[in-house]
Amino acid sequence: MIRRPPRSTPSNSSAASDVYKRQVNPSAQVLIGGLAYEYFVENGGGFVRSFITDVLTAGGGEYFDLMNFHYYGDDLVGRIEHLRDLLAASGYEKPLVCTEVSRSWGDRALEDEGELYARYLPQAMVRGAAEGLPIVHWFALGDMGDTWRPGLFALNGTHRPAYEVYRVLSDVLGGASYVRRLSDSEIGAAPLEGYVFDVSRGGGRLDVVWTTQSTVVSWQVEAPWVYLTNKYGGTRFVYDAYDGSVDNRSTFDVGVNPLYVLYGE
C-alpha cells in the first residue's frame, strides 16, 4: 500500500534521489515527468509556471538525466531555447525530449479535415531533429473525441491525415542525418524555413522546406535535377532545363506544406 508521506518528509528532490541512487539499471536514463509549460494558473489554466524552477532550485536537477516537456504551440524551437536557458540558469546542461507535441485548432471543420495537423506534424518533427532532441512524440495515437482530432487514427480505427504524413516522413527521412538549417544566402528574400539532411541517395543532400506565410514562392537550388516528395508522398522530378536555361540550377515552387527536396548528382 502506498501511503502519503508525513509533512516532515524531505522534498521531492530528495525522494527522487533515493530512487535514483538504487541504480537498478545503472545505464538507465531518467526523464523528469513531462513538463506542461503553458496554460498557466494565472491565465486560467491548471499549471504552475514556477514548477520547474522550484524543482531546480531544490536540487532536483541532480536526479534526472533528460528534461522532458510537452508542447502545443506555434514556436517549438523557442520553447526548447527557453527551457535550455532555464536549465543553464541553474547550472545544468541536459538533453531535452518532447513526449507530447501537437496543436488544437478549436474549429470543428478544421479538426475533421485534419489538414493542419498533417502540415504541423512534419514541421514539428523536423524542428525537433534540428534542435537535437532524441525523442519527439506526436500527440496523439488516436483522436481525443469528436471535437479534438489530432490522432494518427480516427475513433473507428481508420487512418487520419496525420498518419499518412508520418508514414511519408519516416520513409523519406529514415536513415537521414541532420546537418544544418538553410542559410540566408540559400533562402534569399523568400519567406522560407528549411533544414538540410545528409542521405545515402541522389546527390547525398535532402532539404525539408516550407513557406512561413500563406504563399507559394519559386525557389531555385544548385542541382542538375531534384526529386520532390510532398507531405502525402506524391513525387516528381524537376530538371535544370525546365526553367528555360541550363545552368545546373533547378527551379520549383514551395508552399506552406512541407516539401522534401532530394538533390541530384
Side-chain angles (χ1 to χ4, degrees):
M1 182 164 105
I2 299 175
R3 301 180 183 275
R4 180 183 297 276
R7 294 187 182 273
S8 59
T9 295
S11 68
N12 286 342
S13 297
S14 298
S17 169
D18 293 338
V19 175
Y20 192 83
K21 289 176 180 177
R22 291 175 189 171
Q23 296 187 343
V24 175
N25 181 354
S27 65
Q29 296 286 291
V30 177
L31 282 68
I32 191 171
L35 178 66
Y37 199 69
E38 54 198 322
Y39 197 44
F40 298 119
V41 170
E42 62 267 29
N43 304 125
F47 303 112
V48 178
R49 185 185 298 270
S50 66
F51 171 79
I52 186 59
T53 51
D54 291 344
V55 168
L56 295 173
T57 300
E62 299 297 321
Y63 308 112
F64 65 90
D65 301 301
L66 298 99
M67 169 67 86
N68 176 19
F69 70 101
H70 299 168
Y71 187 62
Y72 291 84
D74 290 322
D75 188 9
L76 177 62
V77 173
R79 178 54 47 84
I80 292 168
E81 291 174 347
H82 178 69
L83 292 175
R84 283 176 174 154
D85 288 344
L86 283 182
L87 287 168
S90 295
Y92 298 107
E93 183 178 349
K94 295 178 181 290
L96 271 67
V97 298
C98 183
T99 52
E100 288 185 19
V101 64
S102 193
R103 293 290 305 275
S104 177
W105 305 105
D107 180 286
R108 181 62 182 269
L110 293 177
E111 292 286 344
D112 287 344
E113 180 188 50
E115 271 297 301
L116 293 179
Y117 290 117
R119 179 188 306 166
Y120 184 64
L121 185 152
Q123 291 175 344
M125 295 297 168
V126 169
R127 286 166 176 158
E131 289 297 315
L133 272 61
I135 297 172
V136 181
H137 286 170
W138 178 254
F139 187 89
L141 180 62
D143 285 343
M144 302 305 292
D146 291 335
T147 58
W148 187 23
R149 306 193 61 192
L152 303 181
F153 296 92
L155 295 176
N156 64 5
T158 58
H159 295 167
R160 292 278 288 152
Y163 174 93
E164 300 300 336
V165 300
Y166 210 163
R167 178 185 59 79
V168 173
L169 173 83
S170 299
D171 288 345
V172 175
L173 291 183
S177 300
Y178 173 70
V179 178
R180 59 179 175 82
R181 288 191 68 145
L182 288 175
S183 67
D184 291 342
S185 62
E186 291 169 316
I187 291 173
L192 292 178
E193 181 176 349
Y195 302 85
V196 180
F197 289 82
D198 181 63
V199 294
S200 59
R201 57 192 186 276
R205 171 174 171 172
L206 187 144
D207 295 351
V208 188
V209 62
W210 59 86
T211 59
T212 55
Q213 301 172 7
S214 297
T215 186
V216 175
V217 301
S218 179
W219 194 45
Q220 191 175 74
V221 302
E222 291 189 13
W225 56 265
V226 292
Y227 184 64
L228 307 179
T229 304
N230 67 29
K231 70 179 190 290
Y232 284 121
T235 61
R236 67 186 179 99
F237 282 97
V238 172
Y239 292 93
D240 174 7
Y242 282 10
D243 60 3
S245 63
V246 179
D247 55 3
N248 200 46
R249 298 179 68 84
S250 298
T251 305
F252 51 92
D253 289 340
V254 180
V256 293
N257 290 302
L259 182 68
Y260 305 97
V261 182
L262 176 66
Y263 286 55
E265 297 181 281

